[in-house]
Amino acid sequence: MCKGLAALPHSCLERAKEIKIKLGILLQKPDSAIDLVIPYNEKPEKPVKTQKPSLNEALQWRESLDKLLHSNYGLASFKSFLMSEFSEENLEFWIACEEYKKIKCPIKMAEKAKQIYEEFIQTEAPKEVNIDHFTKAITMKNLVEPSLNSFDVAQKRIHALMEKDSLPRFVRSEFYQEFIK
């Protein structure tokens, strides 16, 4: 559908420019976002078939957040744990960034960047993640011209926060203890 700028019809290029301009304005004036709405069609998540991990795999999760995040069962358990604590926004942001990196179409990339910004980054966002001012400023600057790396700095900060804070709580939780019995 969207193979690259050379293959895009003229109206598609115009739409991409329009999105870029609106995203730039949004990043400068987040309070006036109501007139800058760009529709985002979110697809419902497909249930992931998961197989219970081996004891060895589950034991590795306490040593490596990445191993936990790359295990379907571990990710689902970690998310359930964070939801039980009402603190799933960091994981949801991390997942959104991973999905964002898979986008090839510039238009879809700009739409997803806007959605991630509005949901997780902007001040008073519904699921605002806790990143420092410097990281937020870098991310906002990167979003003027969205690329696959636009959220890298913020995603790394959130990964480090989950590794330092959320993972140790998860490992002490009943959610995790069930795996290693």
Side-chain angles (χ1 to χ4, degrees):
M1 183 148 139
C2 199
K3 303 291 183 201
L5 290 178
L8 295 175
H10 184 68
S11 62
C12 195
L13 281 172
E14 289 173 352
R15 180 76 175 135
K17 288 177 185 176
E18 177 185 321
I19 290 170
K20 179 181 172 186
I21 290 168
K22 287 183 177 183
L23 187 59
I25 293 168
L26 177 69
L27 292 175
Q28 293 172 6
K29 299 180 183 179
D31 293 288
S32 62
I34 195 73
D35 58 339
L36 300 172
V37 175
I38 299 170
Y40 176 75
N41 298 328
E42 189 170 329
K43 296 177 186 173
E45 290 183 26
K46 296 177 187 172
V48 178
K49 292 182 181 177
T50 57
Q51 183 177 358
K52 190 169 181 176
S54 67
L55 175 61
N56 186 39
E57 182 182 351
L59 288 171
Q60 290 177 9
W61 297 345
R62 62 181 169 193
E63 305 301 324
S64 169
L65 179 62
D66 289 324
K67 288 187 180 182
L68 173 67
L69 296 174
H70 290 96
S71 160
N72 288 337
Y73 208 94
L75 180 62
S77 298
F78 190 49
K79 185 171 186 174
S80 294
F81 165 71
L82 292 173
M83 289 174 76
S84 76
E85 291 194 330
F86 304 99
S87 63
E88 69 271 16
E89 67 280 347
N90 287 341
L91 179 60
E92 289 180 4
F93 172 71
W94 185 88
I95 291 169
C97 291
E98 289 298 297
E99 291 170 356
Y100 175 80
K101 291 176 187 177
K102 296 174 185 171
I103 299 172
K104 303 286 185 240
C105 174
I107 294 170
K108 289 181 181 180
M109 185 180 292
E111 290 172 352
K112 182 71 172 176
K114 180 182 182 300
Q115 183 255 332
I116 291 171
Y117 173 79
E118 290 178 346
E119 190 171 355
F120 300 104
I121 303 292
Q122 80 179 9
T123 304
E124 303 294 323
K127 298 179 181 178
E128 185 176 1
V129 292
N130 187 11
I131 54 175
D132 59 273
H133 179 72
F134 178 74
T135 302
K136 186 179 276 195
I138 289 173
T139 303
M140 290 172 63
K141 182 179 176 190
N142 290 345
L143 292 177
V144 173
E145 290 189 38
S147 73
L148 292 177
N149 304 339
S150 293
F151 294 101
D152 282 0
V153 174
Q155 187 183 21
K156 285 176 182 157
R157 294 267 197 256
I158 292 302
H159 184 281
L161 185 62
M162 288 192 300
E163 200 165 44
K164 181 181 173 189
D165 182 51
S166 304
L167 181 62
R169 288 195 328 269
F170 173 69
V171 168
R172 291 188 303 267
S173 75
E174 289 180 26
F175 287 86
Y176 180 73
Q177 295 302 318
E178 287 297 314
F179 293 115
I180 58 172
K181 281 185 178 179

